[in-house]
Amino acid sequence: MNNRREFLIKSVLGTAGLALGTTSLVNGAPSIIKSYNKPNSKINGVQIGCITYSFRSLADQSAEATLKYVTESGISAIELMGGPAESFAGIPESSMNRGRYNELGRKKRNGGKLSSDEEKELGELQKEASAYAATVANWRAKTDFKKFEKFRKMYKDAGVSIYAFKPSTFGRDNTDAEIAYGMKAARALGASHVTLEHPADDARTLKLGKMGEKNKMSVGYHGHTQQTFDFWDTALAQSPRNAMNLDAGHYIAAGFTDIISLIEKQHKRILSMHTKDRQTLANGQNNLPWGEGDTPIVELLSEIQSKKYKFPATIELEYKIPEGSDAVKEVQKCLEYCRRSLA
C-alpha cells in the first residue's frame, strides 16, 4: 500500500517537475495531488480572472459546460453571469423569442419606424416578457440557496473560485425581494461582490448600497464609455458597500489617459477590473486582440503587481473571434498575454 502511495506521489511530483527527496514533501503530497491538473491563473501575485460572458458565443450555457470552458481556458477565478447558476438552481425557462424582442425594442429606441404588424408583435412580446418576469420573481422568492452552494462546491472542486456574481436582479424593474435574492445567491456562491451596470440614478445606488449593508454584500458598479475619473464618487460616498467594477478598456475608449492615477486613488474601492484592449476615442474605439489596441494592459498589470493591489483583473473577451478559433482559445490567448506581461 505504501509503495503504491509513493509511486502516485512520485508520478505527480515528477509530472509537475518537482523532486521527491524529503519526508516533508511526502507528507505534503496529498495537497499537491488535490491541486494537480487544476487551473491556476494567479500569476506572480496577480489574480487573473474571467467573466463568463466571454463564452457567450458557445452554444451550451449550462453550469457544467461553463465550468468546462473556464477550466480549459486555464482560469481559476471568475465573475459569474446569472444564467449558468440560475439554470442550475432550476429557474423556469422562457419560450419567448427574446432575440426578436430585443431586435424590435432596439429598432424603436433608435427612432426606427415599426410597421403595424411589428408594433403588434412587439406588444405581444412585451406581455410575454412581463408574464415571464413575474414567474421568475415568484421563483426567486422561493429559491433554495443550497443549490447555489452546490454550484459553488462543483466549481471549487474543479479549482475555480467565484469572486463576483452578475445576475439580472438589480434593475429598476426588480423588486426589493429580488435584489436581496441576488445578494444572498452571491453569498452562497462565495462571491465578495455583485456587479451591475451603473444605473445613473443616485437614489438607486443609495438603495443598493444600503441593501448591500443589510445583506453583507458589496456592489460593484460597471461602466462603459460614460466612465470618468469621478464617475463613481457619489455612489462610493453613499455606502461603504458601494464599490467599483472598473472597465479599463471602456475607460480608454472614452478618451482618458489617467487610468493609473484613477487606480492609485480608488484601489481600495475597486473590487474587480474588466480588462480588454480597446482603441482610444481618437483611434476609433474598436475592441482588438490584446496587444493591438490602446489599453495599457501591461502597465495596468504591473501596477497591480508592484502595489500588491488585491482586486482581480477580469478578462472580458469582446473582440471579434477569428475564423477557425473559439472563445476558449481566445481567452487562453488573453491569459497567456497576462503571463508574459507579469513574467
Side-chain angles (χ1 to χ4, degrees):
M1 183 70 175
N2 287 337
N3 288 339
R4 290 179 61 195
R5 178 172 177 269
E6 287 187 17
F7 174 77
L8 175 61
I9 292 167
K10 288 177 181 179
S11 298
V12 171
L13 294 177
T15 303
L18 300 173
L20 178 66
T22 66
T23 302
S24 61
L25 274 177
V26 174
N27 290 336
S31 64
I32 295 172
I33 293 169
K34 190 174 181 181
S35 63
Y36 176 63
N37 208 28
K38 290 182 179 179
N40 181 8
S41 57
K42 190 167 188 177
I43 306 168
N44 292 332
V46 180
Q47 179 64 69
I48 305 300
C50 180
I51 183 170
T52 57
Y53 169 79
S54 297
F55 306 110
R56 63 196 176 282
S57 61
L58 300 172
D60 190 347
Q61 294 292 304
S62 67
E64 294 81 3
T66 300
L67 178 58
K68 185 171 183 287
Y69 306 148
V70 171
T71 56
E72 286 184 350
S73 298
I75 298 293
S76 58
I78 59 171
E79 177 181 350
L80 177 68
M81 298 296 288
E86 290 193 303
S87 63
F88 183 83
I91 193 170
E93 293 185 8
S94 171
S95 59
M96 74 173 288
N97 188 339
R98 187 158 293 276
R100 180 62 172 164
Y101 175 60
N102 292 335
E103 178 189 351
L104 292 173
R106 273 196 304 271
K107 183 177 178 180
K108 189 167 186 175
R109 286 194 301 274
N110 293 334
K113 184 172 177 58
L114 300 184
S115 68
S116 58
D117 286 344
E118 286 177 328
E119 285 282 6
K120 183 178 179 181
E121 183 183 7
L122 179 59
E124 292 299 320
L125 287 169
Q126 286 172 333
K127 290 178 184 177
E128 197 173 343
S130 296
Y132 177 65
T135 299
V136 168
N138 184 58
W139 174 81
R140 286 169 171 162
K142 301 174 182 177
T143 296
D144 180 2
F145 291 101
K146 289 182 179 178
K147 293 179 180 178
F148 289 96
E149 292 171 1
K150 185 178 179 181
F151 184 105
R152 174 186 183 179
K153 184 178 186 303
M154 178 172 68
Y155 275 54
K156 183 179 179 181
D157 288 347
V160 178
S161 63
I162 301 164
Y163 56 80
F165 185 44
K166 191 171 187 175
S168 58
T169 59
F170 306 116
R172 291 184 179 85
D173 295 331
N174 293 113
T175 63
D176 287 6
E178 286 184 284
I179 295 171
Y181 151 87
M183 293 180 175
K184 290 174 183 176
R187 272 214 322 276
L189 290 166
S192 67
H193 59 291
V194 297
T195 58
L196 66 146
E197 304 305 313
H198 193 298
D201 180 341
D202 293 347
R204 191 70 180 172
T205 54
L206 176 61
K207 180 186 186 70
L208 291 170
K210 295 304 178 185
M211 290 195 72
E213 292 172 27
K214 181 179 179 180
N215 290 282
K216 299 179 180 178
M217 180 55 56
S218 295
V219 184
Y221 297 100
H222 181 259
H224 289 256
T225 52
Q226 82 274 37
Q227 292 175 126
T228 61
F229 196 87
D230 57 359
F231 177 68
W232 295 268
D233 284 3
T234 298
L236 298 181
Q238 288 173 331
S239 169
R241 283 291 182 177
N242 279 341
M244 296 168 59
N245 174 228
L246 172 65
D247 192 301
H250 293 326
Y251 193 82
I252 295 301
F256 299 106
T257 59
D258 56 355
I259 189 166
I260 299 294
S261 297
L262 174 62
I263 290 173
E264 287 176 344
K265 178 186 177 183
Q266 301 288 17
H267 65 91
K268 290 182 180 179
R269 305 297 295 275
I270 299 172
L271 297 181
S272 51
M273 180 184 75
H274 283 198
T275 310
K276 59 175 69 75
D277 207 348
R278 286 195 71 178
Q279 293 175 309
T280 62
L281 178 64
N283 289 338
Q285 298 183 306
N286 293 310
N287 277 291
L288 296 175
W290 289 26
E292 297 180 19
D294 298 315
T295 306
I297 296 176
V298 176
E299 291 84 351
L300 289 170
L301 296 178
S302 177
E303 178 75 5
I304 296 170
Q305 183 183 48
S306 64
K307 301 290 179 61
K308 295 181 169 56
Y309 295 149
K310 301 300 182 185
F311 60 86
T314 306
I315 294 170
E316 184 174 26
L317 182 64
E318 289 210 299
Y319 62 81
K320 184 179 179 181
I321 296 173
E323 187 175 348
S325 187
D326 60 36
V328 171
K329 292 175 183 176
E330 295 308 310
V331 171
Q332 288 173 347
K333 291 178 185 177
C334 295
L335 179 58
E336 180 57 29
Y337 187 93
C338 294
R339 289 193 191 282
R340 292 197 306 270
S341 300
L342 291 164

